[in-house]
Coordinates of all heavy atoms in Angstrom, one line a residue:
L89 N -23.0 25.2 2.0 CA -21.7 24.4 2.0 C -21.8 23.1 1.2 O -20.9 22.8 0.5 CB -21.4 24.1 3.5 CG -20.1 23.3 3.7 CD1 -18.9 24.0 3.1 CD2 -19.9 23.0 5.2
Q90 N -22.9 22.4 1.3 CA -23.0 21.2 0.6 C -22.9 21.4 -1.0 O -22.4 20.6 -1.7 CB -24.4 20.4 0.9 CG -24.4 19.9 2.3 CD -23.2 19.1 2.7 OE1 -22.8 18.2 1.9 NE2 -22.7 19.2 3.9
E91 N -23.5 22.5 -1.4 CA -23.3 22.9 -2.9 C -21.9 23.1 -3.2 O -21.4 22.6 -4.3 CB -24.1 24.2 -3.2 CG -25.5 24.0 -3.4 CD -26.2 25.4 -3.4 OE1 -25.6 26.3 -4.0 OE2 -27.3 25.5 -2.8
W92 N -21.1 23.8 -2.4 CA -19.7 24.0 -2.6 C -18.9 22.7 -2.7 O -18.1 22.5 -3.5 CB -19.1 24.9 -1.6 CG -19.8 26.2 -1.4 CD1 -20.7 26.8 -2.2 CD2 -19.7 27.1 -0.3 NE1 -21.2 28.0 -1.7 CE2 -20.5 28.2 -0.5 CE3 -18.9 27.1 0.9 CZ2 -20.6 29.3 0.4 CZ3 -19.0 28.2 1.8 CH2 -19.9 29.3 1.5
L93 N -19.3 21.8 -1.8 CA -18.6 20.5 -1.7 C -18.9 19.7 -3.0 O -18.1 19.0 -3.5 CB -18.9 19.8 -0.4 CG -18.5 20.4 0.9 CD1 -19.0 19.6 2.1 CD2 -17.0 20.6 0.9
Q94 N -20.2 19.8 -3.4 CA -20.6 19.1 -4.6 C -19.8 19.6 -5.8 O -19.4 18.9 -6.7 CB -22.1 19.3 -4.9 CG -22.6 18.4 -6.0 CD -22.3 16.9 -5.9 OE1 -22.5 16.3 -4.8 NE2 -21.8 16.3 -7.0
K95 N -19.5 20.9 -5.9 CA -18.7 21.5 -7.0 C -17.3 20.9 -7.0 O -16.7 20.7 -8.0 CB -18.6 23.0 -6.8 CG -19.9 23.8 -7.2 CD -19.6 25.3 -7.2 CE -20.8 26.1 -7.0 NZ -20.4 27.5 -6.8
C96 N -16.8 20.6 -5.7 CA -15.5 20.0 -5.6 C -15.5 18.6 -6.2 O -14.6 18.2 -6.9 CB -15.0 20.0 -4.2 SG -14.9 21.7 -3.5
R97 N -16.6 17.9 -5.8 CA -16.7 16.5 -6.4 C -16.8 16.6 -7.9 O -16.2 15.8 -8.6 CB -18.0 15.8 -5.8 CG -17.9 15.4 -4.4 CD -19.2 14.7 -4.1 NE -19.3 14.2 -2.7 CZ -18.8 13.0 -2.3 NH1 -18.2 12.2 -3.2 NH2 -18.8 12.7 -1.0
D98 N -17.6 17.5 -8.4 CA -17.8 17.6 -9.8 C -16.5 17.9 -10.5 O -16.2 17.5 -11.7 CB -18.8 18.7 -10.2 CG -20.2 18.4 -9.7 OD1 -20.4 17.2 -9.4 OD2 -21.1 19.3 -9.6
A99 N -15.6 18.7 -9.9 CA -14.3 19.1 -10.5 C -13.4 17.9 -10.6 O -12.4 17.9 -11.3 CB -13.7 20.2 -9.7
A100 N -13.7 16.8 -9.8 CA -12.9 15.6 -9.9 C -13.6 14.4 -10.5 O -13.4 13.3 -10.1 CB -12.4 15.2 -8.4
V101 N -14.5 14.7 -11.4 CA -15.5 13.8 -11.9 C -14.8 12.5 -12.5 O -15.4 11.4 -12.4 CB -16.5 14.4 -12.9 CG1 -15.8 14.9 -14.1 CG2 -17.7 13.6 -13.2
G102 N -13.7 12.7 -13.1 CA -13.0 11.5 -13.7 C -12.4 10.5 -12.8 O -11.9 9.5 -13.2
A103 N -12.3 10.9 -11.5 CA -11.6 10.1 -10.5 C -12.6 9.1 -9.8 O -13.8 9.3 -9.9 CB -11.0 11.0 -9.4
E104 N -12.0 8.1 -9.1 CA -12.8 7.3 -8.2 C -12.7 7.9 -6.8 O -11.7 7.8 -6.2 CB -12.3 5.9 -8.2 CG -13.0 4.9 -7.3 CD -12.3 3.7 -6.9 OE1 -11.2 3.4 -7.5 OE2 -12.7 2.9 -6.0
I105 N -13.7 8.7 -6.4 CA -13.7 9.4 -5.1 C -14.2 8.4 -4.0 O -15.4 8.1 -4.0 CB -14.6 10.7 -5.2 CG1 -14.1 11.5 -6.4 CG2 -14.5 11.4 -3.9 CD1 -15.0 12.8 -6.6
V106 N -13.3 8.0 -3.2 CA -13.7 7.0 -2.1 C -14.0 7.7 -0.8 O -14.5 7.1 0.1 CB -12.6 6.0 -1.9 CG1 -12.4 5.1 -3.2 CG2 -11.2 6.6 -1.5
G107 N -13.8 9.0 -0.7 CA -14.2 9.7 0.5 C -14.0 11.2 0.4 O -13.3 11.7 -0.5
L108 N -14.7 11.9 1.2 CA -14.6 13.4 1.3 C -14.6 13.8 2.7 O -15.6 13.5 3.5 CB -15.7 14.1 0.5 CG -15.6 15.6 0.4 CD1 -16.2 16.1 -0.9 CD2 -16.1 16.4 1.5
F109 N -13.5 14.4 3.2 CA -13.5 15.0 4.5 C -13.5 16.5 4.4 O -12.8 17.1 3.5 CB -12.2 14.5 5.2 CG -12.0 15.1 6.6 CD1 -12.7 14.6 7.7 CD2 -11.3 16.3 6.8 CE1 -12.6 15.1 8.9 CE2 -11.2 16.9 8.0 CZ -11.8 16.3 9.1
H110 N -14.2 17.2 5.2 CA -14.2 18.6 5.2 C -14.2 19.2 6.6 O -14.8 18.5 7.5 CB -15.3 19.2 4.4 CG -16.6 19.1 5.0 ND1 -17.2 20.1 5.7 CD2 -17.5 18.1 4.9 CE1 -18.4 19.7 6.1 NE2 -18.6 18.5 5.6
C111 N -13.6 20.3 6.8 CA -13.7 20.9 8.2 C -13.4 22.4 8.0 O -12.9 22.9 6.9 CB -12.7 20.3 9.1 SG -11.0 20.7 8.8
R112 N -13.7 23.1 9.1 CA -13.5 24.6 9.0 C -12.0 24.9 9.2 O -11.3 24.3 9.9 CB -14.3 25.1 10.2 CG -14.6 26.5 10.2 CD -15.7 26.8 11.2 NE -15.8 28.2 11.5 CZ -16.5 28.7 12.4 NH1 -17.2 27.9 13.2 NH2 -16.6 30.0 12.6
G113 N -11.6 26.0 8.6 CA -10.3 26.6 8.7 C -10.4 28.1 8.8 O -11.1 28.7 8.0

Side-chain angles (χ1 to χ4, degrees):
L89 178 61
Q90 293 306 320
E91 280 169 37
W92 304 344
L93 296 175
Q94 186 57 46
K95 286 189 203 169
C96 298
R97 284 182 181 278
D98 292 346
V101 67
E104 180 196 353
I105 304 175
V106 295
L108 185 152
F109 177 83
H110 70 93
C111 70
R112 198 168 165 186

